């Protein structure tokens, strides 16, 4: 018996390595194993009560119907005012749109900007989804190793990667998986390059509000307002408001880009969840205290991680000034022995860490950089302590 084949594009798509590790950790936990989940990609604490209340009220108020594809106009107006105040650059309601998480905003962006064969410069290590989405749009990810430059794109690196086919530069700050935060000087230089070479900038700042130790996040359009016409900014309520499951992200950009996204989204998922739209709009002004508290907790946890990492011989980490990730360089351990057995790859190391230390971390392979593992500290203080003790013990057994 024969059967029609699946589409060729499936060859470009594998399940995100981050989700895979998270579900393995959760399955083991459900089986009663004492697993520390350093593979987490979301805050471990609950969202605001006022948000939940606003969602319940929205449901009780019969807020159940379709909305325009990129969200209710009134909420887009409110969001535009919020973004304008944050960036110090004016955005009108038709220059912003809501999506089912930042992931959809990024997918829309790839689909409306990229033609088959267009190149998009993406820094390595990258969040797992970036290259796949560009490929699905027919584009070609041009991957640029940022490890030698403190895990950040520089204008020199971008310059060396530009070809006549380059269409866009993707910047992700604060970065997943490294936690790196781009500084003003380099962002300005990259922005100037984009203008000189007539390129789009795709600016993923999903972790913009999660910044360590009083540091500062910079939006590239705030730095160079002239970039507004060639920049699509991607953000989300997922990470900073502990709302990953509600699926509410947004993008800001030129009117024609946002309109094209609206047309596309009208044919794919239509509007993002109406209850989430309404609830977030009611609680938007109360988010500041929540985020301040989250950052204080995350600062404390990062300190515990950094203190522990100092004592793990042969392991170093990128400077992590944002989000809730640390990217630890484990290159020394590959090809060396643990309990008499040689560990051949980073993926094998991660499996071994899970099996032996009962800690789930994510292999850098899925982020395009096998020299590292991602440690997430979006877990309880107690788990951060225990997890780091376990990792210290584990890495101490290599020879
Ligand atoms: C850099 C980055 N961009 C986008 C997303 C997607 O977030 P959302 O839940 O809003 O779709 C994530 C989630 O992990 C991320 O790390």
């Amino acid at each position: 018996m024969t059967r029609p084949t699946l589409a060729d594009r499936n060859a470009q798509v594998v399940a995100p390595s981050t989700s895979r590790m998270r579900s393995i950790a959760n399955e083991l936990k459900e089986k009663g194993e004492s697993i520390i989940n350093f593979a987490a990609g979301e805050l471990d604490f609950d969202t605001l009560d006022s948000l939940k209340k606003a969602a319940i009220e929205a449901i009780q108020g019969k807020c159940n119907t379709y909305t325009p594809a990129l969200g209710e106009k009134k909420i887009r107006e409110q969001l535009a005012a919020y973004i304008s105040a944050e960036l110090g650059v004016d955005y009108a309601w038709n220059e912003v749109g809501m999506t089912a998480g930042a992931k959809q905003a990024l997918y829309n962006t790839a689909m409306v900007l990229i033609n088959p064969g267009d190149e998009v410069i993406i820094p390595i290590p990258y969040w797992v989804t970036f290259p796949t989405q560009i490929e699905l749009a027919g584009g070609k990810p041009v991957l640029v190793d940022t490890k030698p430059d403190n895990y950040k794109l520089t204008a020199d690196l971008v310059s060396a990667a530009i070809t006549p086919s380059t269409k866009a530069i993707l910047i992700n700050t604060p970065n997943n998986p490294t936690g790196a935060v781009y500084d003003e000087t380099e962002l300005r230089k990259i922005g100037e390059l984009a203008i000189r070479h007539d390129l789009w900038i795709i600016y993923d700042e999903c972790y913009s509000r999660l910044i360590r130790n009083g540091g500062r996040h910079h939006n590239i359009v705030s730095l160079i307002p002239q970039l507004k016409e060639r920049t699509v900014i991607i953000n989300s309520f997922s990470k900073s408001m502990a709302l990953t499951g509600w699926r509410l992200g947004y993008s800001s950009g030129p009117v024609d880009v946002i309109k094209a996204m609206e047309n596309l989204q009208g044919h794919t998922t239509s509007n993002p969840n109406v209850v989430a739209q309404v609830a977030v709009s009611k609680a938007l002004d109360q988010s500041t205290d929540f985020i301040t508290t989250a950052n204080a907790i995350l600062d404390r946890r990062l300190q515990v991680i950094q203190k522990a990492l100092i004592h793990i011989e042969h392991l170093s980490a990128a400077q992590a000034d944002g989000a809730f990730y640390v990217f630890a360089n484990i290159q020394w351990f590959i090809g060396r022995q643990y309990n008499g057995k040689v560990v051949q790859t980073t993926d094998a190391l991660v499996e071994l860490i899970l099996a032996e230390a009962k800690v789930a971390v994510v292999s850098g392979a899925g982020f395009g950089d096998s020299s590292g593992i991602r440690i997430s500290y979006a877990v309880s203080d107690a788990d951060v302590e225990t997890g780091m003790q376990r990792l210290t013990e584990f890495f101490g057994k290599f020879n």
Side-chain angles (χ1 to χ4, degrees), residues 101-319:
K103 204 173 250 185
Q104 186 177 31
L106 283 159
Y107 186 66
N108 287 348
T109 305
M111 294 300 278
V112 306
L113 296 188
I114 305 305
N115 275 323
D118 284 347
E119 295 180 358
V120 179
I121 296 173
I122 300 178
I124 295 176
Y126 45 75
W127 177 53
V128 289
T129 293
F130 294 143
T132 303
Q133 291 192 338
I134 297 301
E135 282 170 353
L136 284 171
K140 184 174 167 238
V142 173
L143 305 174
V144 175
D145 186 12
T146 61
K147 185 164 40 163
D149 291 274
N150 301 317
Y151 293 97
K152 292 178 220 180
L153 269 184
T154 62
D156 285 347
L157 286 173
V158 173
S159 207
I162 291 175
T163 74
S165 300
T166 308
K167 186 78 175 282
I169 308 166
L170 190 149
I171 300 171
N172 171 212
T173 179
N175 183 274
N176 180 4
T178 63
V181 175
Y182 281 57
D183 62 54
E184 183 177 340
T185 315
E186 214 55 48
L187 283 173
R188 281 186 188 279
K189 286 192 204 160
I190 297 172
E192 279 155 17
L193 263 183
I195 294 171
R196 210 172 320 133
H197 292 270
D198 192 20
L199 304 175
W200 288 104
I201 297 176
I202 304 170
Y203 203 76
D204 182 329
E205 55 171 13
C206 284
Y207 298 90
S208 60
R209 298 176 197 106
L210 298 177
I211 294 288
R212 303 284 64 78
N213 304 311
R216 182 125 194 244
H217 163 77
H218 296 283
N219 177 285
I220 202 160
V221 178
S222 304
L223 296 177
I224 308 181
Q226 202 189 338
L227 286 174
K228 185 181 164 189
E229 63 175 17
R230 60 178 65 251
T231 304
V232 182
I233 303 168
I234 310 291
N235 212 322
S236 170
F237 296 103
S238 287
K239 308 293 179 173
S240 56
M241 295 300 294
L243 281 183
T244 46
W246 282 25
R247 310 309 300 131
L248 198 63
Y250 54 95
S251 49
S252 332
V255 174
D256 55 343
V257 173
I258 298 297
K259 181 68 197 159
M261 287 190 187
E262 183 171 26
N263 295 343
L264 176 71
Q265 195 160 298
H267 287 289
T268 54
T269 60
S270 297
N271 60 275
N273 184 320
V274 62
V275 177
Q277 283 184 47
V278 172
V280 167
S281 79
K282 295 240 166 80
L284 204 51
D285 52 344
Q286 297 150 33
S287 58
T288 313
D289 286 350
F290 180 84
I291 291 163
T292 306
T293 309
N295 276 322
I297 294 170
L298 293 171
D299 283 352
R300 197 169 69 214
R301 293 177 185 167
L302 177 61
Q303 270 173 22
V304 174
I305 302 231
Q306 285 172 330
K307 236 179 172 173
L309 286 177
I310 290 170
H311 298 290
I312 304 181
E313 228 188 326
H314 306 300
L315 195 143
S316 57
Q319 188 172 336

Side-chain angles (χ1 to χ4, degrees), residues 14-23 39 128 347 361-367:
V14 291
S17 53
T18 39
S19 322
R20 194 182 143 263
M21 208 57 204
R22 226 171 296 145
S23 38
V128 289
D347 286 352
V361 296
V362 183
S363 163
F367 303 118

